[in-house]
Amino acid sequence: MTGERPIVVAADETVLDEILRVAAVAGCELDRAPDLTAARGHWARAPLVVLDEEAARLSPVLPRRGGILLVCKGSPGTRTWEHAFRVGVERVISLPEEETELAGAFADVVETPAEEAGLVLAVVGGRGGAGASVFAATLALAADRDPGGALLVDCDPLGGGLDLLLGLEKTPGPRWSEVRLSGRVSVPALAAALPQRRHRGGSLPVLACGREGEGPAVESLSAVLAAGRRAGRTVVCDLPRTLGEAAAEAVAVADLVVLVVPVEFRACMAAKQVLRPLSELTARLGVVACGRSRAGASPVRTAGLLGPPLLASMAPERGLPAAIERGEFPAKPSGPLATAAADVLAVARREARAAAR
């Protein structure tokens, strides 16, 4: 990308407002010019030129170039296509029907797709109190130490909020109740706006449900997952045990769905009920066995009772419950939680690379 910004030339205030709104959502800054004569100095260097019908109709003779969009209200008519052809427009976009295409064009200017696509990982508890949210947060913190970074997404509206778990409840930034997205999303812009949990490897952006109990809309979650994958980030989704529409979308697109199950027979029976709808959406499933069984059951036997492969097992983390109760989420680089998270990440990356071959 050059140092130049896209140029917008629009006389219609309604169309201009819509163009500016879509660009802001995509995290793309624009330069504005009153007409194409004024834009002449940046004409060749701008990564994108966006016109409305009036600007195209009155355009002077300028050198032909690629990357010219004409934005109009409603379906384009014959005159619109005539103006578009004369100016050398690459694409005509009608609003509001084709807003996603306009957002995508702005997103392509802001960010180049990563060389290696990011992962989408989903974590769900086999029963209540299994520690799935704690594991999801640990997994995201581990992934955020990689060059591509990570994003932790709360998909459980009844979970109390991952911001509270991570001690971010007073940190300003949008929660799901304030986020409405569709189409292409700029991950750098989104991450910069979100509350972030600082750790030794950097800062982890967290998109939480908050206290209102409102979870993500399926369109918004789908946009965030696709943007994270395109940007090379690992997106970790903390899912409810009962899947809604948005959580089901996360399961369907995830590279790996992790079921966190205590090493207890009763927990396995509960996990079987959770597993059934997951299995209808994906075969990319694995088990993380946690805790110790007084009856002598092993992590291998726990996974064997459920079916999906055992990804990792973890003994109880000393002092963890008390630390969480104090609002001190542990971000230890070692210990049972961190080791299990590293094991799961290694499996997910290995399988994703094998699938890409």
Side-chain angles (χ1 to χ4, degrees):
M1 175 177 164
T2 70
E4 295 281 334
R5 297 187 290 196
I7 301 173
V8 57
V9 184
D12 188 314
E13 290 296 327
T14 302
V15 172
L16 176 61
D17 287 345
E18 286 300 295
I19 291 171
L20 295 177
R21 180 184 63 80
V22 174
V25 171
C28 183
E29 295 183 353
L30 303 178
D31 285 329
R32 295 169 56 184
D35 53 48
L36 283 176
T37 300
R40 188 187 295 271
H42 302 279
W43 177 257
R45 298 193 301 272
L48 190 69
V49 176
V50 183
L51 313 176
D52 70 351
E53 291 189 77
E54 185 72 7
R57 183 176 70 84
L58 299 175
S59 66
V61 177
L62 291 171
R64 291 276 169 165
R65 55 153 291 163
I68 304 177
L69 307 182
L70 192 157
V71 177
C72 61
K73 293 183 291 186
S75 300
T78 303
R79 288 289 182 89
T80 304
W81 289 110
E82 289 175 355
H83 299 323
F85 179 77
R86 184 169 58 83
V87 180
V89 166
E90 186 175 280
R91 196 179 347 164
V92 175
I93 294 176
S94 60
L95 297 179
E97 294 84 359
E98 296 178 331
E99 179 180 312
T100 298
E101 285 75 6
L102 181 59
F106 286 135
D108 286 339
V109 172
V110 174
E111 54 183 341
T112 303
E115 292 184 8
E116 186 173 345
L119 294 171
V120 175
L121 306 178
V123 181
V124 60
R127 66 157 169 81
S133 295
V134 172
F135 186 75
T138 305
L139 191 61
L141 285 166
D144 198 49
R145 296 185 180 96
D146 291 338
L151 173 64
L152 178 59
V153 179
D154 188 355
C155 300
D156 186 358
L158 301 180
L162 282 179
D163 55 348
L164 184 61
L165 175 67
L166 290 165
L168 299 173
E169 67 274 13
K170 295 182 180 178
T171 304
R175 273 60 173 177
W176 272 124
S177 58
E178 305 162 74
V179 175
R180 292 291 180 268
L181 302 168
S182 63
R184 294 285 291 270
V185 175
S186 167
V187 167
L190 176 64
L194 292 173
Q196 301 199 11
R197 167 63 190 244
R198 296 189 181 277
H199 58 94
R200 281 199 280 181
S203 294
L204 171 68
V206 180
L207 183 47
C209 292
R211 247 55 58 215
E212 300 85 359
E214 185 175 348
V218 64
E219 297 83 2
S220 296
L221 180 59
S222 179
V224 169
L225 299 183
R229 194 188 294 280
R230 186 174 63 251
R233 289 204 181 218
T234 297
V235 183
V236 180
C237 300
D238 181 32
L239 302 184
R241 296 193 305 282
T242 301
L243 300 180
E245 188 180 5
E249 170 71 9
V251 170
V253 304
D255 296 282
L256 183 62
V257 178
V258 181
L259 188 65
V260 180
V261 186
V263 186
E264 303 167 4
F265 181 73
R266 188 178 176 190
C268 285
M269 294 302 100
K272 277 182 174 290
Q273 304 304 312
V274 176
L275 186 60
R276 186 174 294 112
L278 296 175
S279 301
E280 294 173 358
L281 294 167
T282 184
R284 299 182 292 273
L285 293 157
V287 172
V288 169
C290 59
R292 291 193 180 95
S293 172
R294 294 179 182 177
S298 69
V300 173
R301 177 167 171 74
T302 298
L305 288 170
L306 294 169
L310 180 67
L311 303 172
S313 61
M314 52 184 178
E317 184 112 6
R318 186 177 179 182
L320 177 63
I324 292 175
E325 190 65 27
R326 294 193 303 268
E328 301 171 1
F329 187 87
K332 300 176 182 177
S334 60
L337 260 175
T339 300
D343 291 344
V344 169
L345 280 174
V347 171
R349 289 172 182 143
R350 184 169 62 247
E351 293 186 356
R353 286 170 185 150
R357 291 194 189 110

